[in-house]
Amino acid sequence: MGQRRRARRTAGTGNVDVNWNSAGEFIAMGGYGLYVWGAYAVTVACMAAEPVLVALRHRAAQRALSDGGRP
Amino acid sequence: MSTSWRFFRFASPAAFYPLAGKLVPWFGAVAAMLAAIALYLGMLRAPTDATQGDAYRIIFIHVPAAWMSMLLYVVMAFWAAIGWAFNARLASIVARAIAPTGAMFTFLALWTGALWGKPTWGAWWVWDARLTSELILLFLYVGYLALVSAIDDTRRADRAGALLAVVGSVNVPIIYFSVVWWNTLHQGASVSVTAAPKMASVMLIAMLLMTLAFWAYAFAVVFVRTRAISLEREAHASWANDAVRAARPEPGMST
């Protein structure tokens, strides 16, 4: 019961029904943790890396212009 | 032809560059917000599935990634064709800017699918019509990227890429209808406009919100890449120099 209340508090809203009773249960994903988190980890990694790479490419294009561009 | 194109105010890299720059932060913010809500609903609120247990939670990224992989291909082929048919520079740039993001979503659809297939089917991979046609989509994206980067003449590369993209677009309906046309291990469509939803509404909402998040993400990333390619290609043009000079007074963040 106390665990249940903690799960509710983590969610941040007063009166909601979170599916998990504890953080450990959430991480275990009913025994499918490796598959679920493996899928999410790679997705997050890709979608975090791509904006950085594309911003660096844009920055490089800007720098090439301001260095080598006409005065 | 050129006069009619003047109506398209933003159809040149010079006009689109600042517009895209203004839109990118908004698309980024919307993507982050919707993804947070979708993850909260999907990972914390949605109940455990009766047959698949919690392995089904991969659906919240698998289906949006797979949808985006197909949608982005169609959009890429469309702009590549416009760029080819009307000799529109910006359209060709947009097509090239979409390809890496489309390839990434295709890879993610395959990756998350493999990690979902193992616990539910007992196999990471099967040569099933849906999986095979999605793998061909990845090869089409990679082939497009390899082809356009292998040709030095930019506009010739655009035209060759457009031909590949347009011909390859026959694969998209094959992917979509593969689960209907063939007997596949992959399940049928989870969402249909005509039929009642086959899953709990909180799951459906989480999946659709994540799709919108991925969609907004794709806009943000593709627009930044469009800006980068525009500068790279038109470095000789005065607008590019003006745009960079205009961005210089604020050395902090200029996407």
Side-chain angles (χ1 to χ4, degrees), chain B residues 12 18 35 77 81 102 118 132 142 147 151 155 158 183 214 229 250:
Chain B
S12 81
K118 186 63 182 169
T132 307
V142 173
L147 181 64
I151 300 172
R155 295 303 281 159
D158 286 341
N183 219 339
F214 280 18
I229 299 174
E250 28 173 8

Side-chain angles (χ1 to χ4, degrees), chain B residues 92-109:
Chain B
S92 299
I93 293 173
V94 168
R96 286 221 208 176
I98 290 171
T101 304
M104 186 200 73
F105 278 121
T106 312
F107 162 73
L108 288 177

